[in-house]
Amino acid sequence: MLKIEEYISMRKRKEKINEFDFTKHSDNMGKIIQFVSEYFNDYLNPEDYNYELIKLQQTIEKSKKTLINQYPNTHGFIEEYYLNNKKRIDTFIKKVCDAQIDIDIYYNETEFLGIAKEVSHRLSDSELSDDDLDKIVLAVKEYCNYYMSKPNRSEMKGLDNNIVKWVMDSYREFGVNIASYAFNIGWKWSDKYVEHKYSRQYDEHYYINSYDYRYQDNPFDIEEEYEKHQDKPFMQGKRDYFEMLVMYSWLFDVLEDTSYWPEYEKLCVKTRKVNLKTQRRVLVPISNGNQRYPEEIQSEIEYIESKNGLIKNKQKDQYIISILNEKTTDNIWTNNSTRAKVVKNIKNTVEKYGKPKLIEFRTPFKSPAFGMKELIDKYLEIEKDLKTLGKISIAVKTNSIQTSKEPVVHDMDDIMELHHAIEKMKLKLKIIIDLVDTNNRNVLKKGMDDLINSLASKPNSFIGFHINKIDEWGKIYGFTNRGYKIDRNSYPSFSDFMLGLSTILQGTTPKLLIPEKVKSEEELEKLVDTLYRCGCEFESGVNND
């Protein structure tokens, strides 16, 4: 049954009325009035008027656009079934699919047919034909295709590339989202073990975890979950990857206890021989001064500071020479004669002691006449002056300590500006980050969120860092925007600095570790132990005997 505007439109087409022909204005008006009269007097027959059917039609009309969008090939079948049986097949499909915790990894006909049969059972329609059942199977596939979320790489940035590749390849080939399935498992365990409480006195919510997920052989009953799907082509042989994916969701999305992840990841590599793409958080230990690393770490590179480019002696075969800015207004960056003298001395040092592993220059201070552009221009002159030495690495060390004068490369904005300039101009210049903190004056440490957001996504933007210590632990009680989270089985969480350092080092390229202002071997040992807890390894310097 047509609505009045649809009936008039139909009659206009039949009569070939052109309402924009103003020479027939009076005739057209008369005909439209006639159409309206015919609609109510002849077309709408009260005896044939089915009020209930009209109501069903109006209901389906409201959701027609949504149905066409979600069920492009089966929306007609769903509409017809609703008009005939007063039951929305799409609503039943949603309820059955939402009840399946592993719907995200359904991919074959048998699984979709199982859902369709459950929908048919709930419809209580014994007269449903095989053709109708096939249409419900197709509707189930369309529902899953519409609501299936695509794995998001940014949400897996802490995972090894092999695991991320497995998740993304499985989505492309089979249309499944293993990451979403892993999250659902973690969320199911949170329903069971995370207790929600509310304090009226302080108007705060508390989330208390009672599940001990550390050092278990079968956390989250992974064996049972994996056994259900191990015959699927994308799950075969991926039991450990699957467990790591669930643990990642549990730690990062459910509990927000990211401090355990580096330790857990290392545990999987060491004890289960999990095949990860590369070793992560690898550090190259650099010796600075007389302090010695713990005996299990062998440092092969020496860090030597020089005011003028000359060194008196060196103790190791490999070395890094760092050129100090003896004066803020008369140094290699600001004085051409000083630069010529230092370059000449560096060449003499190379002739006597061999080519250094790296030449490090300290960033100068800003002035009205000297900024980032001038720093890059001077670097190009220095690189040209040292060209006769052959291939040699040059780096700028940032200065992140609060002072009365601001260095050119000071905070995170400066570092990223220099990094983008290096990429755009394809410079060979490297960046070394200053994380040394005395009296809470390091601007990078204060702004760990900026440091993480900028460097975690660009792990190759810096080659190493200077550091003196790490604040090890924060509070046992984690604060979120929803309230407090308390883990009865947890250790104290990482401090913000410790967690941030663990995050920015998670890339695969080894980073130079340069201890600075470390006063004793005990302090250096404590620094190394904390880096171990962050999940770090030391490149070919670990003695396994």
Side-chain angles (χ1 to χ4, degrees), residues 332-348:
I332 193 169
W333 300 103
T334 58
N335 188 297
N336 290 335
S337 60
T338 300
R339 184 175 71 253
K341 180 180 177 181
V342 171
V343 167
K344 180 180 178 181
N345 289 340
I346 290 175
K347 291 179 179 179
N348 291 335

Side-chain angles (χ1 to χ4, degrees), residues 287-293 302-303 315 518-521 524:
S287 297
N288 185 7
N290 296 323
Q291 282 79 31
R292 299 177 60 185
Y293 283 91
E302 181 180 4
Y303 182 82
Q315 300 175 359
V518 178
K519 299 178 182 178
S520 65
E521 290 182 9
L524 183 56

